[in-house]
Amino acid sequence: MKLGVMQPYFMPYIGYFQLMKAVDKYVVYDDVNYIKGGWVNRNHILINGEKEMFTVTLKKASQNKLFNEIVIGDDFKELMKTLQLNYSKAVNFDQTMTLMKRIISFSDKRLAAFIANSFREIFSYLSIDTEILMSSDIPKDNSLRGKDKILQICEILGADTYYNAIGGQNLYDKKEFSEHGIVLNFVDTIPKVYSQLRTKEFVPYLSMIDVLMNNTKDEVNDLLDSFCVRY
C-alpha cells in the first residue's frame, strides 16, 4: 500500500496533487504545529497575466497551535471576485467556479478539516479514488517527532511504500525506512505546458486553481500523471 503524509495547504501547486494521486491513502498531517509565514493559506494565480499571490485570512494563527486548531476567517469574496475578473475566459471557468463555490461553502471552517474537504471535492470532480485521512484520527504516539512519527503512521496503516515530495530528499533516509520494511520514494514534477490567459510565456507551479481553470478534467489528470519517481 502506497502512502503519503503532508501538512495541509489550500489549493497548492500541482506537485502536491500529483503525490496525492500517486498513493492509495493520503494523510493530512493536521496534529502538528501550524507554520506561520509558509504556504498553508496562500499561493499564486495569474492576475492580469502576471504571477500574483492570494492569501486566505486566518483567525489568530499561531505556531503554538496545531493545524486543526486554526480557524479560517475569510469569506472568500475577494478571491472569488479575483477569479471572476481574471479567469472568466478560461476554457474550464464555469466548472471550476462551481467546484470552488462548493469548496468555500463547506461549513467546518477549521483549517485542516476545510482543506481536507477541498481535496475530497477535487478528487471527486477528477474521479480520483485516493482515500483522504486525518492524522489526528490515527491512534499513535504523539510524543514522536519527525520521521519517527511518519514511520509509525506507515506501520499503523500498513504501508509498504511511502511517497514524499521531492523537497524531502534531505529530510528522510531511505535506509531508515527500509529497516522498517518501507520503500521511500520521491515525487518529482515534470513541468508540462498548458494554455494560460494573457501570458507572454508559460508560468509553472501556480495554484491548482490555475490548472483547473485552464484544462478539462482529462487534461488535468494527464498533468497530474506528469511526474517521475525518484528512488
Side-chain angles (χ1 to χ4, degrees), residues 104-129:
I104 65 173
S105 65
F106 187 58
S107 60
D108 190 342
K109 293 302 189 283
R110 291 176 299 167
L111 179 64
F114 187 88
I115 291 175
N117 178 72
S118 73
F119 295 158
R120 293 187 182 103
E121 287 283 2
I122 292 169
F123 283 6
S124 176
Y125 169 74
L126 296 173
S127 300
I128 296 171
D129 59 6

Side-chain angles (χ1 to χ4, degrees), residues 2 12 24-25 75 82 87 102 104 111 119 126 166 171 188-189 209 225:
K2 293 177 288 187
D24 301 301
K25 293 184 180 182
D75 61 10
T82 299
Y87 285 96
R102 285 204 305 271
I104 65 173
L111 179 64
F119 295 158
L126 296 173
I166 193 66
L171 299 176
D188 192 2
T189 299
I209 294 172
D225 293 332

